[in-house]
Amino acid sequence: MVVAFAILAAWELVTAAGVVGFRRPIYNALSLVANMLGLAVLFLILNAQFLFAAQVIVYAGAVMVLFVFIIALLNPGSDLTLGRSGNEWIYGVVFGVIFAALLGGLLFNRGLTGRQGSSSPEAINAVGNVQAIGTALYTKFLFPVEVASVLLLIAAVGAVYLAMRRIR
Amino acid sequence: MPPAYLFLLLSGALFTMGAVGFLVRRNPLVVFMCIELMLNAVNLAFAAESRFLNSLDGVVFAFLVITVAAAEVVVGIAIIVQVYRAGRQMDVDGLDLMKE
């Protein structure tokens, strides 16, 4: 398990660097697909099989296909990497340093001090992962699920409206 | 099983890379991909907390984050295509009409 995690962590970091670093957008998109598939396997290690399936279907499937379609359709140029003034690099470096310092703080504070719940991996696997999450979704989290459904409807209507409209 | 803080560390590293990419890149599509990277990093943190605190709440919230990300990509890409159809350059630095 530890070896698998080490390999996956290295894979995630390399592909994330590819998302940020490659110059051609299609390579960025393919790096992101690889990144999302690696993340799905990390969900498997974390005993979240439902999240694994959702990640592969929704992210690596639907969202990234949309990205690749749009890249193929628009064919954006490859020379749009660097900022004209160079200010963006300064912001990026400053943010990166600040966040790296925060991550260093995490190394000194390793304990996870939340209250333990009752859904241990054994308890979840006894009823089945999808059943356990479905029960939680439609009982405890019913309101967020309803809000998410309205959000998806609004997004679909908005996308259709934007696609129909001709702007000058 | 690797300890929890390693998962959180990986999640933070991915989030940082996404945020730096968001600030540095100029192609709006790549900027969107960096946002997806950040959302994915948060999902990893949610799933790890959920596993190590014996709770399902984190997994449910990661699922909701996936929903929000899908909606966001749909609207965002529709806007990018509209901007492209309006004949503007694919460059977030050039899209400053709202600033004036």
Side-chain angles (χ1 to χ4, degrees):
Chain A
M1 209 67 115
V2 177
V3 176
F5 175 79
I7 294 170
L8 278 170
W11 172 260
E12 288 294 289
L13 291 176
V14 168
T15 51
V19 174
V20 177
F22 276 128
R23 281 175 170 267
R24 296 188 58 185
I26 187 70
Y27 293 158
N28 295 124
L30 293 179
S31 296
L32 193 54
V33 172
N35 188 278
M36 283 165 174
L37 290 177
L39 200 73
V41 182
L42 276 172
F43 288 154
L44 272 190
I45 291 182
L46 288 167
N47 194 44
Q49 288 91 344
F50 175 72
L51 215 51
F52 161 80
Q55 175 86 8
V56 171
I57 294 170
V58 177
Y59 260 133
V63 169
M64 290 320 294
V65 166
L66 194 59
F67 266 114
V68 173
F69 263 147
I70 293 301
I71 289 170
L73 189 68
L74 301 187
N75 192 17
S78 59
D79 51 348
L80 289 175
T81 305
L82 300 174
R84 273 188 295 258
S85 55
N87 277 342
E88 292 88 352
W89 283 105
I90 298 170
Y91 296 140
V93 167
V94 166
F95 189 90
V97 167
I98 290 173
F99 225 80
L102 288 177
L103 290 180
L106 185 66
L107 272 179
F108 292 104
N109 187 14
R110 295 181 181 182
L112 206 57
T113 55
R115 195 157 51 88
Q116 294 281 325
S118 59
S119 308
S120 66
E122 295 78 26
I124 294 176
N125 290 337
V127 286
N129 194 274
V130 178
Q131 282 90 336
I133 290 172
T135 308
L137 267 180
Y138 288 104
T139 54
K140 191 178 174 187
F141 292 98
L142 184 60
F143 182 64
V145 170
E146 294 291 334
V147 173
S149 70
V150 174
L151 173 75
L152 282 177
L153 179 67
I154 292 172
V157 172
V160 170
Y161 172 70
L162 280 172
M164 285 188 333
R165 200 164 142 236
R166 304 290 305 183
I167 57 173
R168 283 163 285 116
Chain B
M1 197 69 191
Y5 76 92
L6 281 182
F7 284 98
L8 297 183
L9 210 60
L10 177 62
S11 160
L14 289 178
F15 188 92
T16 308
M17 291 169 100
V20 170
F22 178 84
L23 291 170
V24 166
R25 298 300 300 255
R26 284 168 53 202
N27 188 324
L29 281 168
V30 181
V31 167
F32 255 92
M33 287 181 214
C34 291
I35 295 175
E36 298 301 313
L37 199 59
M38 286 193 276
L39 289 170
N40 269 328
V42 172
N43 276 350
L44 178 62
F46 268 134
E49 297 277 1
S50 185
R51 165 69 178 76
F52 288 102
L53 290 179
N54 287 337
S55 161
L56 271 178
D57 299 5
V59 173
V60 172
F61 263 89
F63 180 64
L64 292 174
V65 168
I66 290 179
T67 315
V68 171
E72 170 239 332
V73 163
V74 166
V75 176
I77 283 190
I79 291 174
I80 289 175
V81 171
Q82 279 296 339
V83 167
Y84 186 79
R85 270 164 67 181
R88 301 214 169 80
Q89 204 194 354
M90 293 277 284
D91 180 356
V92 288
D93 280 357
L95 302 175
D96 53 0
L97 218 61
M98 297 275 276
K99 220 159 55 176
E100 289 156 9

